[in-house]
């Protein structure tokens, strides 16, 4: 399919651009891409072409200071953030290249997206730059290699498949491929539109908790699986595309498992119940976590709920722009230790009390953990959490989604929670 | 956590086994693992411990003929079949080892599962063999390496992350790691319980199509996103855990995209609409596909729907045990060519007309494609499909889920479709 590159680098790719004005948006790039709206419908909530273009230039500008002559970003169907930062395209489910995609951004010259053959037409109609199949990856990288002696930065190194990485390396020849955190750091700071979408996803996750609460109020027996289903139905009813990840509901002894999947276990009065439920909405997710006691609960279970809430509240109260991730981590870690649960909490033992989130439930930056000197900046979005699991008693993970407010915000606060459901739950 | 290995290799791992009889199941292994039921509840639909044990021994027995001294099977959160064949455990969503798991099966000795630290307790309470963290992988592989000169077979080579494969190779030292299809071939043949679960998932996918049909009958405008949401809600309402993959609904010109995601595009009367929607139920999935014309449709669109249905029907009518995958592929391929759509169908051009399916939407065997001499056997489950996409007109993918019947089946047929929704849809 012939591609036409216009003077501002925007990609036409065979779609007639008639310059029709995009409703309410007056930037040149957005009107130039009004054909996207004709093809895909229009929603004011979606990230517009101009915002994708800004992101491309922001990342491009960060390459030279990072001593890179280009970026190669890997994303798959489920960990698509490195791709979705640049385009509405996200790969599809499968065991082959259908699930893979690479975004290539050289310091100078047009970016390019590489997808499987089956995804090509779709990707071309929602991207603002040229799209090729992964079969063409080698020739593009060889051309880059021939003209460049600098290093190429790789984003997504932790989960790129070995098979694909081998192909990339073979094509690069002598060009060095190095892991880079440039993209992770830039996408950690969210735009107003992104925050609005994450906020919406967060409220959908809240609706899931409300649905669980209301279901349990009937006093009838319910299994973990049923409650997870009810939670998911509530999120879809509110307009979620899907869950952000597979909903977790773990009751009684199973609430002591840090991560697990729901089973046919029936909730018992007196149980502590761990839940970790999130929604996906228009490319953005909420990664929520709440635990609750069910029926008349023992003091030790109530204390666990309270300690986790107290720890997260401490983080919410003290976090602010200008603080390092390590400092914020220490606030939550100290609270858990002070409550006496150091032995029962991975966060208290230094495993981190939060992570970046946005287009995927888990994103690399900002990681709220010991040693991370990254400074919190206005617009960063991440989770704050406390997990306490006591063998023989039970556990929970209390997790909030927060954004960093501008310094001197009128509220007087440094962080705003995007989800609103209460943390101390005794049902 | 101390592990106790009983004489038949079953894993106790600190859970008291009191030998209480599992309701309705009288095998020794199942009663031995009745603690699983206490922890996780019980459903007669679930794969019982005895069936997992049988699978382990079936794969173990296939190692020597394949010139392997062991198997290393990789699975992740979304492509978990290589793990889920052996245990109810499936990894969780994330960018780290949370999403990864390796199952190790030596020719002699206990199998072992490796999971992230956070998943350890969960995995131990639903697996019939020892479970360790991925931090222990190196020492186990080194021990195997020290005692073995044979080759280790790798399943999941196409999608194992480079980072994890490097760790595996470093630990194996001089033991050679080779890709193997042993596991893919064995798990292609499904048990009665598996077929029952796939059948249930297929009927849930059928319910999704019915919901779309019923929604469109109101004559009001509907977008692709809305219909995907309605489909997903119908599957959950029927008891699905979740979708098998992200539902696809593509209308008008977008129906010509082989793979895509739903947008805010409104369906227009006269559109051809492609859908690809599946459900997940208790560890098994349906991978369905149906297209339909919406409102008064042109002859060329009706012809596309008919040609795809005719091709799949030909496969359904002629497929049977004893035939090779290549022969069955040729039946569907010939039909598409005969209908005049060779140029517009990847299946007609030799890209394969079906794939294994079961625990994941796409499994490697049996691949219904040219050159594959694998013989169809009773109990194999796979999809049969015809995708026709005509630029400027539209397209669809008609996909059925089928099982191979025993030779001489009373119905006189060789294949049974597990999904039941009609293929020629003119709405």
């Amino acid at each position: 399919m012939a591609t036409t590159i216009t003077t501002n680098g925007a990609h036409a790719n065979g779609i007639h651009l008639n310059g029709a004005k995009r409703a309410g948006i007056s930037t040149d790039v957005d009107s130039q891409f009004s054909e996207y709206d004709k093809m895909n419908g229009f929603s004011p909530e979606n990230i517009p072409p101009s915002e994708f273009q800004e992101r491309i230039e922001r990342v491009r500008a960060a390459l030279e200071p990072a001593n890179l002559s280009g970026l190669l970003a890997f994303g798959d169907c489920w960990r698509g953030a490195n791709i979705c930062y640049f385009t509405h395209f996200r790969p599809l489910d499968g065991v082959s290249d259908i699930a893979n995609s690479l975004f290539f951004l050289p310091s100078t010259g047009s970016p390019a997206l590489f997808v499987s053959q089956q995804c090509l037409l779709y990707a071309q109609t929602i991207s603002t730059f040229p799209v090729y199949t992964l079969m063409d990856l080698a020739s593009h990288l060889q051309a880059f290699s021939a003209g460049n002696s600098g290093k190429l930065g790789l984003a997504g190194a932790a989960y790129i498949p070995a098979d694909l990485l081998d192909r990339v390396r073979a094509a690069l020849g002598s060009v060095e491929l190095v892991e880079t955190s440039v993209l992770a750091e830039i996408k950690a700071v969210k735009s107003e539109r992104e925050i609005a979408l994450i906020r919406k996803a967060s409220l959908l996750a809240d609706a899931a908790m409300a649905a669980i609460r209301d279901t349990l109020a009937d006093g009838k027996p319910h299994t973990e699986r049923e409650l997870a289903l009810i939670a998911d139905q509530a999120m879809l009813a509110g307009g979620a595309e899907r869950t952000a990840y597979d909903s977790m509901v773990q009751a009684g002894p199973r609430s002591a498992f840090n991560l697990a999947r729901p089973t046919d276990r029936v909730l018992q009065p007196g149980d502590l119940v761990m839940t970790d439920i999130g929604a996906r909405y228009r490319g953005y997710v909420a990664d929520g976590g709440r635990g609750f006691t069910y029926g008349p609960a023992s003091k030790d279970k109530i204390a666990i709920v309270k300690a986790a809430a107290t720890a997260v509240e401490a983080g919410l109260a003290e976090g602010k722009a200008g603080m390092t991730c390590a400092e914020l981590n220490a606030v939550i870690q100290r609270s858990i230790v002070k409550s006496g649960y150091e032995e029962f909490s991975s966060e208290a033992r230094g495993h981190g009390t939060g992570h970046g989130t946005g287009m995927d439930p888990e994103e690399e930056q900002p990681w709220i953990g010991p040693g991370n000197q990254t400074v919190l900046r206005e617009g960063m979005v991440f989770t704050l959490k406390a997990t306490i699991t006591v063998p023989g008693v039970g556990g929970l993970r209390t997790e909030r989604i927060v954004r960093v407010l501008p310094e001197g915000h009128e509220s007087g606060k440094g962080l705003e929670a995007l989800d609103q459901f209460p943390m101390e739950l005794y049902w």
Side-chain angles (χ1 to χ4, degrees), chain A residues 381-399:
Chain A
V381 175
F382 49 89
T383 66
L384 283 182
K385 64 187 177 77
T387 309
I388 298 175
T389 56
V390 181
V393 180
L396 82 173
R397 175 165 42 257
T398 300
E399 189 162 16

Side-chain angles (χ1 to χ4, degrees), chain A residues 92-113:
Chain A
L92 282 294
D93 184 286
V95 294
S96 69
D97 273 345
I98 284 171
N100 298 326
S101 182
L102 284 165
F103 178 75
F104 174 59
L105 178 60
S107 291
T108 53
S110 174
L113 180 69

